[in-house]
Amino acid sequence: MSELHTPQAGDDHAPDLDVVGLLMRQHGDIRNLFDEVEQSKGDERRDAFHRLVRLLAVHETAEEEVVHPFARRAFEGGEQVVEDRLAEERAAKETLSALDDLDTDDPEFLPKLRALRTDVQEHARAEERYEFTHIRRSTDVTNLATMASAPSPPSWTAPRTPSARP
């Protein structure tokens, strides 16, 4: 199998040549959006939060429709890896639902957002370690590229946000 360089999460200048690289970039974009939501106020916070919700939805849809089905059958233990990730996603969705019921200026919003951030970051680390690594080892560059260009998700690439990092 050919080796591919996986860009660092959040590297907006890296091409999305494969599904793992694409999802890693989205992990970085999600972290940047959490930063933006936490650091802004008023309408800017509301807009940033809506972009975060949209990117989380795009990301999870892509995983559910393309990545998880592949992982279930591609490597030993894939079924359990996917079930563990889905349980994490359900917990994050519950926190997100509670957040969605709040105004972004509500005093309860930031503490709940920080709890969501913790859940999402732990989930992302588990994906990278237990799912993405095995996917990369279980297939070739062509298959990874095909998965990245899969038409199923409404949009693999939600609008990019300016990186909060240099």
Side-chain angles (χ1 to χ4, degrees):
M1 282 180 228
S2 299
E3 289 293 318
L4 266 182
H5 167 73
T6 300
Q8 293 295 312
D11 183 353
D12 284 344
H13 304 292
D16 295 326
L17 299 176
D18 74 277
V19 71
V20 173
L22 173 63
L23 294 170
M24 293 287 291
R25 182 189 48 79
Q26 286 181 347
H27 284 174
D29 292 346
I30 289 165
R31 280 194 300 274
N32 290 342
L33 275 168
F34 271 113
D35 288 343
E36 190 177 334
V37 174
E38 286 184 31
Q39 295 167 8
S40 58
K41 295 182 190 303
D43 288 342
E44 287 180 19
R45 177 178 285 166
R46 198 169 353 276
D47 292 344
F49 179 66
H50 289 299
R51 284 184 282 130
L52 173 63
V53 170
R54 180 168 183 265
L55 181 53
L56 287 169
V58 166
H59 184 81
E60 294 308 321
T61 299
E63 289 176 344
E64 290 168 10
E65 293 183 9
V66 178
V67 176
H68 294 330
F70 178 82
R72 285 181 192 277
R73 66 181 188 278
F75 55 88
E76 188 174 335
E79 184 72 36
Q80 187 60 52
V81 167
V82 170
E83 288 307 313
D84 291 346
R85 300 302 70 79
L86 290 173
E88 295 161 1
E89 290 168 15
R90 282 190 293 275
K93 285 177 185 176
E94 288 176 20
T95 306
L96 186 58
S97 177
L99 265 173
D100 214 24
D101 292 339
L102 294 175
D103 185 87
T104 55
D105 292 327
D106 188 301
E108 292 181 36
F109 181 81
L110 279 179
K112 287 185 190 287
L113 180 78
R114 290 182 182 116
L116 175 66
R117 182 180 194 148
T118 298
D119 290 345
V120 167
Q121 287 180 324
E122 288 174 3
H123 171 71
R125 280 191 295 274
E127 283 179 338
E128 291 167 10
R129 181 174 181 188
Y130 300 113
E131 193 168 19
F132 297 174
T133 301
H134 291 292
I135 288 171
R136 174 80 28 87
R137 290 179 184 154
S138 300
T139 194
D140 61 21
V141 173
T142 303
N143 219 9
L144 292 167
T146 300
M147 284 190 278
S149 63
S152 297
S155 170
W156 273 101
T157 54
R160 290 190 181 196
T161 59
S163 177
R165 297 182 194 117

